[in-house]
Amino acid sequence: MSNQTFRPATPFTALLSVAIASIFSAHAAQAQEVSQSPAAAFSDPCAGNLRCFASGPVVAEVAQLTSAQKLKNNHSVRVSVRLKNISDQPIALAYKTNSGTMLDNLGHEYKVDWRSDSNVAGIGQVSQTTADPQFTLRPGEARTATFNYSRYVGKTAMGTIFSPSLVVAQLEIIPGNQVRTVSEYSINFTNIAPGNFGNPVSSIDDAGRQLAEGLKSIFKKN
């Protein structure tokens, strides 16, 4: 009789465990590669543009900011904002009356004075009693609206960097020609210096050109 000795065979369950562990390890490594790849990164509608702010289906970009000279102890800052619809459905937007506020780099507060309709141009407004859905954007479409922020400066210094904010409402027309607010989107820009960033106001369409002319008349009156 032979005196040979044999090593016990590896149990099937042990081999299965090793195989499963190898599969999970491979999947984990693949998942890590995907999470670290640029394609899997969060998509920023503003693409790092510091003059841009995304809120819901709306991407807003400061197209122009003009700081006027002090006149009769008042200082005005005109801000043109390009609003783009990034959804796959048409949307009607309106500026929420009395929502426009702004701080300068010295901490002074400016407001879009609701008592004068001329302080908002290119977009309708919505308040507790009225709603204007004229500013309707198709998917991917963009248009520009302009807001005039002002404050009484007296003998205080005027800032040179501005952080304007406003709220736009998404409107819906319901039976009976009634309009209701579906959502509100807060738009906030930070540390914007005066400048013309492409001047889309004069290149969008006839309405844009009329808007520019209207703003000239506003500053002449002041």
Side-chain angles (χ1 to χ4, degrees):
M1 184 175 181
S2 174
N3 292 325
Q4 286 181 305
T5 59
F6 297 90
R7 180 178 296 175
T10 302
F12 174 75
T13 54
L15 289 174
L16 183 61
S17 298
V18 172
I20 293 174
S22 298
I23 292 172
F24 274 101
S25 177
H27 278 293
Q30 184 179 8
Q32 185 176 8
E33 290 179 2
V34 171
S35 66
Q36 292 177 350
S37 66
F42 173 73
S43 178
D44 178 10
C46 290
N49 184 349
L50 298 180
R51 299 187 309 275
C52 177
F53 190 90
S55 184
V58 180
V59 172
E61 181 180 358
V62 174
Q64 189 177 63
L65 189 148
T66 304
S67 175
Q69 294 295 320
K70 182 172 70 172
L71 185 62
K72 296 180 180 179
N73 287 321
N74 290 287
H75 182 220
S76 295
V77 177
R78 183 185 67 191
V79 183
S80 294
V81 180
R82 184 172 180 265
L83 300 170
K84 182 177 182 180
N85 174 13
I86 60 172
S87 75
D88 58 359
Q89 299 292 327
I91 57 175
L93 301 176
Y95 164 74
K96 184 177 180 180
T97 300
N98 209 32
S99 68
T101 61
M102 179 175 70
L103 292 178
D104 65 15
N105 56 311
L106 301 177
H108 301 132
E109 184 179 35
Y110 293 68
K111 292 188 176 182
V112 177
D113 192 345
W114 61 270
R115 294 170 297 181
S116 176
D117 290 338
S118 62
N119 286 324
V120 179
I123 189 172
Q125 299 191 48
V126 58
S127 65
Q128 293 183 347
T129 57
T130 62
D132 184 351
Q134 65 170 295
F135 194 92
T136 300
L137 300 176
R138 298 184 300 273
E141 184 181 8
R143 289 167 58 190
T144 299
T146 300
F147 308 90
N148 191 56
Y149 296 79
S150 61
R151 77 176 180 93
Y152 177 81
V153 296
K155 296 182 179 179
T156 62
M158 296 190 301
T160 56
I161 305 294
F162 306 94
S163 299
S165 299
L166 60 104
V167 175
V168 292
Q170 182 177 347
L171 305 179
E172 180 183 36
I173 301 176
I174 57 178
N177 288 327
Q178 300 294 311
V179 180
R180 69 178 179 183
T181 296
V182 177
S183 300
E184 293 184 349
Y185 307 109
S186 179
I187 296 172
N188 307 285
F189 302 104
T190 304
N191 298 333
I192 308 295
N196 184 350
F197 313 107
N199 194 26
V201 175
S202 61
S203 62
I204 292 180
D205 49 24
D206 291 339
R209 286 188 285 274
Q210 293 173 7
L211 169 60
E213 292 300 322
L215 289 171
K216 289 179 182 178
S217 64
I218 290 173
F219 283 98
K220 285 181 180 178
K221 291 178 181 178
N222 291 336

